[in-house]
Amino acid sequence: MALNLVDVKSEYAKDKDLKEEDVKAFIEWVNKQPHLPEINEVQAILFLQSCYFRNEAAKAAIDTYFTVRTLCPDLFFERNPKNSPLKEGLDVTLFSVLPKLTPDGYSIIFMKLMDSNPDNYNFAMQLKYFDMVCMQYLHQQGTSKGHLIVLDMKGVVFGHLTKLGPLTMKKFLYYLQEAMPLRLKGLHYFNIVPFMDKILALMKPFMKKELMDMLYLHNTADDMTKFVPKDCLPQDYGGSVEPLNVLHEKVKSNLMQNVPFFEWEDKHSVDESRRQGKPKNVSDYFGVEGTFKKLELD
């Protein structure tokens, strides 16, 4: 099974703060936790680097990562891109890690609706797709000094807002902030919509201050050049990166060619019966689903 994981030698060469002895010690600790799956060197590097080599933070992150993924199968399992309904979901949105870094050395995770019909939009399916793109990229391309999430909201209509469930939003934002091995440096929305306040009202209860402080709203792509130079963006925005439609086809093709990677990831789950101490369940992290009030839409 070819996973095409990044060469760890290139990761050690990339960052002088990454020490092989720290990585080996981290792997040994994880593999001694009876409830966690065994990990490899690439996974250890991703979590240590994303936590700025703070060992205890990396331990908490990787435990949360595997636990949340296990407890939320709607977002993190059945991820074969050749199977429905995920296959159709890939046509709805573009999620791409763009090839050009910012002057700060940050990677850009770019998002854009390619099908603006809200009837075809499934929020949980799109979050699954986002995670697939990000995790495949991290495992196969390695670490980055930082990551910017950039969302073009053109094509988003009020019907999409009605698809954003509070519990699904809570699950995803918790995972993004507490578990994903990203060095998140900014969350940038542009071409913002008139009902952006309602979207933010849904998100803000689940956002820590650190994430709120890196949230930026821009009217156009030109307005965010301080953070994301136009040259780093696709040609559709005056940049030098391939056009959106070409990027979209490349992303879909890449996912289709990496089915073994997603099958490998799907095998990594937590065995709560073997956790030392009290086993975790969904309500420990997200409360009871019935306690979430329906989103009020004026």
Side-chain angles (χ1 to χ4, degrees), residues 24 58 76 93 112 118 129 150 166 238:
K24 287 182 177 178
F76 301 112
T93 310
K112 167 80 170 71
Y129 173 14
V150 177

Side-chain angles (χ1 to χ4, degrees), residues 144-291:
S144 174
K145 286 184 178 180
H147 300 88
L148 301 178
I149 297 178
V150 177
L151 303 94
D152 179 0
M153 300 195 73
K154 187 175 181 180
V156 176
V157 298
F158 198 78
H160 290 106
L161 177 60
T162 66
K163 300 292 188 80
L164 306 181
L167 180 58
T168 303
M169 182 69 78
K170 183 175 186 179
K171 289 177 181 178
F172 171 71
L173 286 176
Y174 184 85
Y175 172 75
L176 176 68
Q177 295 172 95
E178 305 293 343
M180 273 190 98
L182 295 174
R183 281 189 175 182
L184 194 56
K185 297 291 187 178
L187 183 57
H188 296 268
Y189 290 84
F190 71 102
N191 289 331
I192 55 173
V193 292
F195 48 90
M196 189 69 201
D197 60 324
K198 291 182 169 54
I199 296 175
L200 292 177
L202 177 61
M203 296 172 59
K204 283 182 177 179
F206 313 126
M207 296 172 69
K208 296 168 74 172
K209 182 181 184 298
E210 292 86 348
L211 187 58
M212 285 297 303
D213 289 345
M214 61 178 75
L215 171 65
Y216 299 90
L217 306 180
H218 312 279
N219 289 320
T220 68
D222 290 338
D223 294 335
M224 63 176 182
T225 52
K226 174 184 173 183
F227 306 95
V228 184
K230 187 180 288 188
D231 188 56
C232 295
L233 295 174
Q235 294 171 16
D236 310 68
Y237 308 96
S240 63
V241 176
E242 293 171 311
L244 292 171
N245 61 328
V246 175
L247 287 172
H248 194 206
E249 291 306 315
K250 279 191 170 183
V251 167
K252 291 191 292 182
S253 175
N254 190 26
L255 294 177
M256 296 291 182
Q257 292 169 21
N258 279 274
V259 171
F261 172 80
F262 300 114
E263 291 176 339
W264 171 75
E265 267 208 312
D266 280 354
K267 293 175 183 175
H268 293 148
S269 58
V270 166
D271 183 350
E272 289 297 338
S273 69
R274 303 185 67 196
R275 184 187 290 273
Q276 294 173 340
K278 185 176 180 291
K280 303 283 188 181
N281 57 49
V282 174
S283 63
D284 290 329
Y285 288 96
F286 310 114
V288 181
E289 187 165 358
T291 64

Side-chain angles (χ1 to χ4, degrees), residues 69-122:
R69 292 173 77 89
T70 303
L71 295 176
C72 303
D74 53 327
L75 299 182
F76 301 112
F77 282 90
E78 296 184 356
R79 303 188 314 152
N80 188 326
K82 296 183 178 181
N83 295 343
S84 296
L86 179 56
K87 181 180 178 182
E88 291 73 24
L90 302 184
D91 293 328
V92 175
T93 310
L94 164 66
F95 295 112
S96 176
V97 184
L98 300 182
K100 294 197 73 168
L101 302 178
T102 71
D104 292 322
Y106 298 162
S107 301
I108 301 169
I109 305 169
F110 188 86
M111 308 181 191
K112 167 80 170 71
L113 271 180
M114 303 300 282
D115 175 355
S116 58
N117 183 351
D119 292 340
N120 297 329
Y121 187 84
N122 179 305

